[in-house]
Amino acid sequence: MRASSAWTALILLFIQGATRACTVKKSGSSTGRFANATLVRLSEFLSAGYKKGVRPVKDWRTSTIVAIDLMVYSILNVDEKNQVLTTYVWYRQSWTDEFLVWNPEDFDEVKQVSLPTANVWVPDILINEFVDVGKSPDIPYVYVTHDGLVRNYKPIQVVTACTLNIYNFPFDVQKCSLTFQSWLHTIDDINITLMRSPEELREDKSVFMNQGEWELLHILSNYKIFSVDNDDYYAEMKFHVVIRRRPLFYTVNLLLPSMFLMVMDIVGFYLPPDSGERVSFKITLLLGYSVFLIIVSDTLPATAIGTPLIGVYFVVCMALLVISLTETVLIVRLVHKQDLQPPVPPWLKYLILERAPVLFCIHRKSRLCSNLTPQPPDLELYKESSYGTAQCPLHHTCELGRRRSHLDREGGGFSGGEVTAIRHFLEKRDRCREVAKEWLQVGYVLDVLLFRVYLVAVVAYSITLGTLWSVWQVA
């Protein structure tokens, strides 16, 4: 009795194994050279009766959860004018297909297989910010595991719209978004989740090429459910790619040359105020700075919505150079042609020559009087002037008359009238020199005052910009 029961059990096991073998054989009915190919049999088994146009769930109430992941490989281009960011990313997504399952024991312990992407259902997850089709390689396969997990990994060249703020150029930090969502299916059909934790995603820079102009700071993620018409709700996963520009190239080629020219302009104030070389020197600097701006104009980012701060910096530097040249022209005009100047007004003499040196610690330099135009000897000057007219500093002509008598060649002296004329001429010349001396002092004090004001403006402006750029660089 026991023997017959044992034989019966063996027969039942044999029948079950034969039935399973027949089932597998029917599902993989390859003949010829593919008769023993396990992968071919598995592929035919999975594709038999498969409908790739239907969401792969047995219960239509079940939502398909798509896990996605993003890794930035390279920043290819940042177009500030068109507000477009071009990146190269490694995109990964996975979901469960309930119709692509099998028992590994029936297929030589094969636990995963690659299938053509065109033969399986793929979620319609797109990037909302897409503005152009990038040159992405075509990956025609997906990986499928025996429990129905489908993994679709592919590199993508992403050309997306991004709001770029260039005010802080070249110390700017840009934050661009890549929003992944199903274009058609609601959250009841397709839901989105992260493949990794937000912390791992944020700090992952393992594949980023870190040798270009832009540096990847981190990638932030944000999950949101939204509705367009308050009826259907959609799931979206937004990645915020935060990048920072490396400013070394622009600092060396834009900021330092401009700073050097401004320093040379400040040094130009140490040229004597009554020399024409200062005007020529500052005009040369102004022309050089104009050529410099023409050269660097193509390097600055151009947008229609704003101007970078460095552009404002260049304009202000140009304005300071113009102000410096204007101040130099005024001072040179003031200390030159002293014989055409009226006497210094009392109020100006009080403010500039008495109060200003005390308030601003300016030393009045008597040596400026020696800068007057060298005068010939008194007698020779008189002899030359006595034949015509002599210009006095008070803007009127002192008529000396023509000589009516010759010099006493024997005694070498002058007549009484000539001695009086010489005395008056020397007195007027002394007054002329006193007026010229006062105007030189006024020009010197004004030059020092304007130089200090100019220096304070340049230093304050430089410190303000330097502080802003340092804060932006550290942030």
Side-chain angles (χ1 to χ4, degrees):
M1 187 70 177
R2 291 180 180 178
S4 62
S5 298
W7 280 106
T8 302
L10 290 174
I11 291 172
L12 290 175
L13 290 175
F14 178 77
I15 293 174
Q16 291 178 357
T19 303
R20 181 180 298 177
C22 292
T23 303
V24 174
K25 186 174 181 179
K26 288 180 181 179
S27 62
S29 58
S30 300
T31 59
R33 56 180 177 175
F34 299 115
N36 296 322
T38 304
L39 295 181
V40 174
R41 292 191 297 109
L42 178 58
S43 176
E44 292 181 351
F45 171 76
L46 296 176
S47 60
Y50 185 83
K51 303 296 183 181
K52 67 175 184 179
V54 180
R55 192 165 59 90
V57 291
K58 295 179 181 180
D59 185 0
W60 65 273
R61 302 175 185 85
T62 303
S63 176
T64 301
I65 299 178
V66 180
I68 64 175
D69 190 24
L70 186 72
M71 292 185 291
V72 177
Y73 182 75
S74 177
I75 306 296
L76 300 181
N77 184 38
V78 178
D79 188 351
E80 294 89 354
K81 182 177 182 180
N82 298 315
Q83 299 285 291
V84 172
L85 172 68
T86 304
T87 56
Y88 196 78
V89 301
W90 288 3
Y91 174 64
R92 303 189 298 175
Q93 63 180 4
S94 62
W95 65 93
T96 300
D97 192 321
E98 298 181 6
F99 300 143
L100 296 179
V101 294
W102 71 91
N103 187 356
E105 296 179 357
D106 298 336
F107 297 93
D108 296 338
E109 300 299 329
V110 174
K111 295 184 179 181
Q112 64 179 7
V113 65
S114 60
L115 297 177
T117 307
N119 295 341
V120 299
W121 180 87
V122 178
D124 60 334
I125 294 180
L126 303 177
I127 301 177
N128 288 347
E129 293 83 1
F130 257 131
V131 294
D132 194 6
V133 178
K135 299 178 181 178
S136 305
D138 184 22
I139 308 299
Y141 295 98
V142 295
Y143 251 129
V144 182
T145 60
H146 69 281
D147 54 356
L149 180 64
V150 182
R151 293 177 295 175
N152 185 15
Y153 298 172
K154 55 185 177 181
I156 306 175
Q157 180 177 329
V158 183
V159 183
T160 57
C162 178
T163 303
L164 300 173
N165 184 7
I166 63 170
Y167 181 75
N168 302 339
F169 175 88
F171 304 95
D172 51 332
V173 176
Q174 305 296 343
K175 183 178 180 181
C176 298
S177 301
L178 302 177
T179 305
F180 292 83
Q181 74 168 76
S182 174
W183 191 253
L184 179 63
H185 295 86
T186 64
I187 193 173
D188 297 329
D189 296 331
I190 293 180
N191 200 355
I192 302 176
T193 185
L194 283 177
M195 190 176 294
R196 297 182 293 172
S197 66
E199 293 74 17
E200 293 177 345
L201 177 67
R202 173 188 174 92
E203 303 299 333
D204 186 13
K205 305 176 186 177
S206 57
V207 300
F208 182 72
M209 294 183 61
N210 201 27
Q211 302 300 323
E213 178 184 355
W214 293 90
E215 174 188 4
L216 177 64
L217 296 182
H218 43 258
I219 302 176
L220 305 177
S221 59
N222 182 30
Y223 175 78
K224 186 176 72 172
I225 300 175
F226 71 97
S227 175
V228 178
D229 52 6
N230 294 326
D231 187 14
D232 296 328
Y233 291 87
Y234 300 85
E236 72 172 20
M237 184 67 68
K238 181 172 291 188
F239 296 97
H240 301 282
V241 180
V242 184
I243 56 178
R244 178 173 58 193
R245 193 192 307 265
R246 290 189 172 94
L248 180 60
F249 171 81
Y250 300 97
T251 302
V252 173
N253 292 278
L254 298 182
L255 294 179
L256 290 184
S258 178
M259 292 178 182
F260 292 156
L261 290 175
M262 296 303 297
V263 170
M264 292 305 300
D265 182 63
I266 295 175
V267 173
F269 278 93
Y270 286 93
L271 291 173
D274 58 334
S275 66
E277 287 79 6
R278 181 191 282 193
V279 177
S280 302
F281 179 76
K282 290 186 176 292
I283 290 177
T284 303
L285 282 180
L286 187 60
L287 293 176
Y289 202 86
S290 301
V291 175
F292 168 74
L293 291 184
I294 294 174
I295 295 175
V296 305
S297 60
D298 295 334
T299 307
L300 297 178
T303 62
I305 60 176
T307 302
L309 182 60
I310 191 173
V312 179
Y313 164 76
F314 289 146
V315 172
V316 173
C317 288
M318 174 68 78
L320 290 175
L321 289 176
V322 173
I323 293 173
S324 173
L325 177 60
T326 304
E327 182 268 343
T328 300
V329 172
L330 293 177
I331 294 299
V332 171
R333 175 64 182 84
L334 192 64
V335 300
H336 272 263
K337 301 292 183 182
Q338 298 94 351
D339 57 334
L340 300 179
Q341 300 285 358
V344 179
W347 64 270
L348 184 63
K349 184 185 300 184
Y350 174 76
L351 292 177
I352 302 300
L353 299 183
E354 296 181 12
R355 300 299 301 171
V358 176
L359 294 176
F360 299 99
C361 300
I362 301 175
H363 301 285
R364 296 176 59 182
K365 295 186 178 180
S366 59
R367 65 178 179 84
L368 288 175
C369 300
S370 63
N371 293 332
L372 291 170
T373 304
Q375 302 290 339
D378 298 342
L379 183 59
E380 296 297 327
L381 181 62
Y382 172 74
K383 288 180 179 180
E384 294 176 0
S385 301
S386 60
Y387 287 97
T389 58
Q391 298 290 336
C392 78
L394 304 179
H395 290 292
H396 67 273
T397 304
C398 303
E399 298 289 344
L400 296 178
R402 294 185 176 276
R403 296 180 60 186
R404 296 185 179 181
S405 63
H406 297 285
L407 293 173
D408 188 3
R409 300 183 182 275
E410 296 180 357
F414 293 89
S415 63
E418 290 179 340
V419 171
T420 303
I422 291 175
R423 181 172 58 82
H424 288 300
F425 173 79
L426 294 178
E427 290 176 355
K428 292 181 181 298
R429 191 204 63 181
D430 291 339
R431 288 198 299 269
C432 177
R433 288 188 174 181
E434 286 298 325
V435 172
K437 175 182 175 182
E438 290 179 352
W439 279 114
L440 276 177
Q441 290 287 352
V442 170
Y444 167 73
V445 174
L446 285 178
D447 184 62
V448 174
L449 284 177
L450 294 176
F451 166 70
R452 292 183 179 180
V453 172
Y454 181 79
L455 184 62
V456 169
V458 172
V459 171
Y461 182 61
S462 302
I463 291 177
T464 302
L465 290 184
T467 303
L468 289 176
W469 283 331
S470 299
V471 171
W472 293 333
Q473 181 67 12
V474 174

Coordinates of all heavy atoms in Angstrom, one line a residue, residues 327-375:
E327 N 39.3 118.2 -14.2 CA 40.0 118.8 -13.1 C 41.4 119.3 -13.5 O 41.8 120.4 -13.1 CB 40.0 117.9 -11.9 CG 40.6 118.5 -10.6 CD 42.1 118.2 -10.5 OE1 42.6 117.3 -11.2 OE2 42.8 118.9 -9.7
T328 N 42.1 118.4 -14.2 CA 43.5 118.8 -14.6 C 43.5 120.0 -15.5 O 44.3 120.9 -15.4 CB 44.1 117.6 -15.2 OG1 44.2 116.5 -14.3 CG2 45.5 117.9 -15.7
V329 N 42.5 120.0 -16.5 CA 42.4 121.1 -17.4 C 42.1 122.4 -16.7 O 42.8 123.5 -16.9 CB 41.4 120.8 -18.5 CG1 41.1 122.1 -19.3 CG2 41.8 119.7 -19.4
L330 N 41.2 122.4 -15.7 CA 40.9 123.6 -14.9 C 42.1 124.1 -14.1 O 42.4 125.3 -14.1 CB 39.7 123.3 -14.0 CG 38.4 123.0 -14.7 CD1 37.3 122.7 -13.7 CD2 38.0 124.2 -15.6
I331 N 42.8 123.2 -13.5 CA 44.0 123.6 -12.7 C 45.1 124.1 -13.6 O 45.7 125.2 -13.3 CB 44.5 122.4 -11.9 CG1 43.4 122.0 -10.8 CG2 45.8 122.7 -11.2 CD1 43.1 123.0 -9.8
V332 N 45.3 123.5 -14.7 CA 46.4 124.0 -15.6 C 46.0 125.3 -16.1 O 46.8 126.3 -16.3 CB 46.6 123.0 -16.7 CG1 47.5 123.6 -17.8 CG2 47.2 121.7 -16.2
R333 N 44.7 125.5 -16.5 CA 44.3 126.8 -16.9 C 44.4 127.9 -15.8 O 44.7 129.0 -16.1 CB 42.8 126.7 -17.4 CG 42.2 128.1 -17.8 CD 42.8 128.6 -19.0 NE 42.3 129.9 -19.4 CZ 42.7 131.1 -18.8 NH1 43.6 131.1 -17.9 NH2 42.1 132.2 -19.2
L334 N 44.3 127.5 -14.6 CA 44.3 128.4 -13.5 C 45.7 128.9 -13.2 O 45.9 130.0 -12.9 CB 43.7 127.8 -12.2 CG 43.4 128.7 -11.0 CD1 42.4 129.7 -11.4 CD2 43.0 127.8 -9.8
V335 N 46.7 128.0 -13.3 CA 48.1 128.4 -13.0 C 48.9 128.8 -14.2 O 50.0 129.3 -14.0 CB 48.8 127.1 -12.3 CG1 48.1 126.7 -11.1 CG2 48.9 126.0 -13.3
H336 N 48.3 128.8 -15.3 CA 49.0 129.3 -16.5 C 48.4 130.7 -16.9 O 47.3 131.0 -16.5 CB 48.9 128.3 -17.7 CG 50.0 127.3 -17.7 ND1 51.1 127.4 -18.5 CD2 50.1 126.1 -17.0 CE1 51.9 126.3 -18.3 NE2 51.3 125.5 -17.4
K337 N 49.2 131.4 -17.7 CA 48.8 132.7 -18.1 C 48.4 133.6 -17.0 O 47.4 134.3 -16.9 CB 47.6 132.6 -19.1 CG 47.9 131.8 -20.3 CD 48.9 132.4 -21.3 CE 49.1 131.6 -22.5 NZ 50.1 132.2 -23.4
Q338 N 49.4 133.7 -16.0 CA 49.1 134.5 -14.8 C 48.9 136.0 -15.1 O 48.3 136.7 -14.4 CB 50.1 134.3 -13.7 CG 50.2 132.9 -13.2 CD 51.3 132.1 -14.0 OE1 51.8 132.5 -15.0 NE2 51.6 130.9 -13.5
D339 N 49.6 136.4 -16.2 CA 49.5 137.8 -16.5 C 48.2 138.2 -17.1 O 47.9 139.4 -17.2 CB 50.6 138.1 -17.6 CG 50.5 137.3 -18.8 OD1 49.9 136.2 -18.7 OD2 50.9 137.8 -19.9
L340 N 47.3 137.2 -17.4 CA 46.0 137.6 -17.8 C 44.9 137.4 -16.7 O 43.7 137.6 -17.0 CB 45.6 136.7 -19.0 CG 46.5 136.8 -20.2 CD1 46.0 135.8 -21.3 CD2 46.5 138.2 -20.8
Q341 N 45.4 137.0 -15.5 CA 44.4 136.8 -14.5 C 44.2 138.1 -13.7 O 45.1 138.9 -13.4 CB 45.0 135.7 -13.5 CG 45.2 134.4 -14.1 CD 43.9 133.6 -14.4 OE1 42.9 134.1 -14.1 NE2 44.0 132.5 -15.0
P342 N 42.9 138.3 -13.2 CA 42.6 139.4 -12.3 C 43.1 139.0 -10.9 O 43.5 137.9 -10.7 CB 41.1 139.5 -12.4 CG 40.6 138.1 -12.7 CD 41.7 137.6 -13.6
P343 N 43.2 139.9 -10.0 CA 43.6 139.6 -8.6 C 42.6 138.6 -8.0 O 41.4 138.5 -8.4 CB 43.5 140.9 -7.9 CG 43.6 142.0 -9.0 CD 43.0 141.4 -10.2
V344 N 43.1 137.8 -7.1 CA 42.3 136.7 -6.5 C 41.3 137.4 -5.6 O 41.6 138.3 -4.8 CB 43.2 135.8 -5.6 CG1 42.3 134.8 -4.9 CG2 44.3 135.2 -6.4
P345 N 40.0 137.1 -5.8 CA 38.9 137.7 -5.0 C 39.2 137.5 -3.5 O 39.7 136.4 -3.1 CB 37.6 137.0 -5.4 CG 38.0 136.5 -6.8 CD 39.4 136.2 -6.8
P346 N 38.8 138.4 -2.6 CA 39.1 138.2 -1.2 C 38.4 137.0 -0.6 O 39.0 136.3 0.2 CB 38.5 139.5 -0.6 CG 38.5 140.5 -1.7 CD 38.3 139.7 -2.9
W347 N 37.1 136.7 -1.0 CA 36.5 135.5 -0.5 C 37.1 134.2 -0.9 O 37.2 133.3 -0.1 CB 35.0 135.5 -0.9 CG 34.8 135.4 -2.4 CD1 34.7 136.4 -3.3 CD2 34.7 134.2 -3.1 NE1 34.6 135.9 -4.6 CE2 34.6 134.5 -4.5 CE3 34.8 132.8 -2.8 CZ2 34.4 133.6 -5.5 CZ3 34.6 131.9 -3.8 CH2 34.5 132.3 -5.1
L348 N 37.7 134.2 -2.1 CA 38.4 133.0 -2.6 C 39.7 132.9 -1.8 O 40.1 131.8 -1.5 CB 38.6 133.1 -4.1 CG 39.2 131.8 -4.7 CD1 38.3 130.6 -4.5 CD2 39.4 132.1 -6.2
K349 N 40.3 134.0 -1.6 CA 41.6 134.0 -0.9 C 41.4 133.5 0.5 O 42.2 132.7 1.1 CB 42.2 135.4 -1.0 CG 43.6 135.4 -0.3 CD 44.1 136.9 -0.3 CE 44.3 137.5 -1.6 NZ 44.8 138.8 -1.6
Y350 N 40.3 133.9 1.1 CA 40.0 133.5 2.5 C 39.7 132.0 2.6 O 40.3 131.3 3.5 CB 38.9 134.4 3.1 CG 38.4 133.9 4.4 CD1 39.2 134.2 5.6 CD2 37.3 133.2 4.6 CE1 38.8 133.8 6.8 CE2 36.9 132.7 5.8 CZ 37.6 133.1 7.0 OH 37.2 132.6 8.2
L351 N 38.9 131.5 1.7 CA 38.5 130.1 1.7 C 39.6 129.2 1.3 O 39.9 128.2 2.0 CB 37.3 129.9 0.8 CG 36.0 130.6 1.3 CD1 34.9 130.3 0.2 CD2 35.5 130.0 2.6
I352 N 40.3 129.5 0.3 CA 41.3 128.6 -0.3 C 42.7 128.7 0.3 O 43.3 127.7 0.7 CB 41.4 128.8 -1.8 CG1 40.0 128.5 -2.5 CG2 42.4 127.8 -2.4 CD1 39.4 127.2 -2.2
L353 N 43.1 130.0 0.6 CA 44.5 130.2 1.0 C 44.6 130.3 2.6 O 45.7 130.1 3.1 CB 45.0 131.5 0.4 CG 45.1 131.5 -1.1 CD1 45.8 132.7 -1.6 CD2 45.9 130.3 -1.6
E354 N 43.5 130.5 3.2 CA 43.5 130.6 4.7 C 42.8 129.5 5.4 O 43.4 128.8 6.3 CB 42.9 132.0 5.1 CG 43.7 133.1 4.6 CD 43.2 134.5 5.1 OE1 42.3 134.4 6.0 OE2 43.6 135.5 4.6
R355 N 41.5 129.2 5.1 CA 40.8 128.2 5.8 C 41.1 126.8 5.3 O 41.2 125.9 6.2 CB 39.3 128.5 5.6 CG 38.8 129.8 6.1 CD 39.1 130.0 7.6 NE 38.4 128.9 8.4 CZ 38.6 128.7 9.7 NH1 39.5 129.4 10.4 NH2 37.9 127.8 10.3
A356 N 41.1 126.5 4.0 CA 41.3 125.2 3.5 C 42.6 124.5 4.0 O 42.6 123.4 4.4 CB 41.2 125.2 2.0
P357 N 43.7 125.2 3.9 CA 45.0 124.6 4.4 C 44.9 124.2 5.8 O 45.5 123.1 6.2 CB 46.0 125.7 4.1 CG 45.5 126.5 3.0 CD 44.0 126.5 3.3
V358 N 44.2 124.9 6.7 CA 44.1 124.6 8.1 C 43.2 123.4 8.3 O 43.5 122.5 9.0 CB 43.6 125.8 8.9 CG1 43.4 125.4 10.4 CG2 44.6 126.9 8.8
L359 N 42.0 123.4 7.6 CA 41.0 122.3 7.8 C 41.5 121.0 7.2 O 41.3 119.9 7.8 CB 39.7 122.7 7.1 CG 39.0 123.9 7.7 CD1 37.7 124.2 6.9 CD2 38.6 123.6 9.2
F360 N 42.2 121.0 6.1 CA 42.6 119.8 5.4 C 44.1 119.5 5.5 O 44.6 118.7 4.8 CB 42.2 119.9 3.9 CG 40.7 120.0 3.7 CD1 40.2 121.2 3.5 CD2 39.9 118.9 3.8 CE1 38.8 121.4 3.3 CE2 38.5 119.0 3.6 CZ 38.0 120.3 3.4
C361 N 44.8 120.2 6.4 CA 46.2 120.0 6.6 C 47.0 120.0 5.3 O 47.8 119.1 5.0 CB 46.4 118.6 7.3 SG 45.6 118.5 8.9
I362 N 46.8 121.1 4.6 CA 47.6 121.3 3.4 C 48.7 122.3 3.6 O 48.4 123.4 4.1 CB 46.6 121.8 2.2 CG1 45.5 120.8 2.0 CG2 47.4 122.1 0.9 CD1 44.5 121.3 1.0
H363 N 49.9 122.0 3.3 CA 51.0 122.9 3.4 C 51.2 123.8 2.2 O 51.3 123.3 1.1 CB 52.3 122.1 3.7 CG 52.3 121.2 4.8 ND1 52.4 121.6 6.1 CD2 52.1 119.8 4.9 CE1 52.3 120.6 7.0 NE2 52.1 119.5 6.3
R364 N 51.2 125.1 2.5 CA 51.3 126.0 1.4 C 52.8 126.0 1.0 O 53.7 126.2 1.8 CB 50.9 127.4 1.8 CG 49.4 127.5 2.1 CD 49.0 128.8 2.6 NE 49.3 129.9 1.6 CZ 49.1 131.2 1.8 NH1 48.6 131.6 2.9 NH2 49.5 132.0 0.9
K365 N 53.1 125.8 -0.2 CA 54.4 125.7 -0.7 C 54.9 127.0 -1.4 O 54.4 127.3 -2.4 CB 54.6 124.5 -1.7 CG 54.3 123.2 -1.0 CD 54.6 122.0 -1.9 CE 54.3 120.7 -1.2 NZ 54.6 119.6 -2.1
S366 N 55.8 127.6 -0.8 CA 56.3 128.9 -1.3 C 57.1 128.7 -2.6 O 57.3 129.5 -3.4 CB 57.1 129.7 -0.3 OG 58.2 128.9 0.1
R367 N 57.6 127.4 -2.7 CA 58.4 127.1 -3.9 C 57.7 127.2 -5.2 O 58.2 127.3 -6.3 CB 59.0 125.7 -3.8 CG 58.0 124.6 -3.9 CD 58.6 123.3 -3.8 NE 57.7 122.2 -3.8 CZ 57.1 121.7 -4.9 NH1 57.4 122.2 -6.1 NH2 56.2 120.7 -4.9
L368 N 56.3 127.2 -5.1 CA 55.5 127.4 -6.3 C 55.8 128.7 -7.0 O 55.6 128.9 -8.2 CB 54.0 127.2 -6.1 CG 53.6 125.8 -5.7 CD1 52.1 125.8 -5.4 CD2 53.8 124.9 -6.9
C369 N 56.2 129.7 -6.2 CA 56.5 131.0 -6.8 C 57.6 130.9 -7.8 O 57.7 131.7 -8.7 CB 56.8 132.0 -5.7 SG 55.5 132.2 -4.5
S370 N 58.5 130.0 -7.6 CA 59.7 129.9 -8.5 C 59.3 129.3 -9.8 O 60.0 129.3 -10.7 CB 60.8 129.0 -7.8 OG 60.3 127.7 -7.6
N371 N 58.0 128.8 -9.9 CA 57.6 128.2 -11.1 C 57.1 129.2 -12.1 O 56.6 128.9 -13.2 CB 56.4 127.2 -10.8 CG 56.9 126.0 -10.1 OD1 58.1 125.6 -10.2 ND2 56.1 125.4 -9.3
L372 N 57.1 130.5 -11.7 CA 56.7 131.5 -12.6 C 57.6 131.6 -13.8 O 58.8 131.2 -13.7 CB 56.7 132.9 -11.9 CG 55.6 133.1 -10.8 CD1 55.9 134.4 -10.0 CD2 54.2 133.1 -11.4
T373 N 57.1 132.1 -14.9 CA 57.9 132.2 -16.1 C 59.1 133.1 -15.8 O 59.0 134.2 -15.3 CB 57.1 132.8 -17.2 OG1 55.9 132.0 -17.3 CG2 57.9 132.8 -18.5
P374 N 60.3 132.6 -16.1 CA 61.5 133.3 -15.8 C 61.5 134.7 -16.4 O 61.1 134.8 -17.6 CB 62.7 132.5 -16.4 CG 62.1 131.1 -16.4 CD 60.6 131.3 -16.7
Q375 N 61.8 135.7 -15.6 CA 61.8 137.1 -16.1 C 63.2 137.5 -16.5 O 64.1 137.2 -15.8 CB 61.2 138.0 -15.1 CG 59.8 137.6 -14.6 CD 58.8 137.8 -15.7 OE1 59.0 138.6 -16.6 NE2 57.6 137.1 -15.6

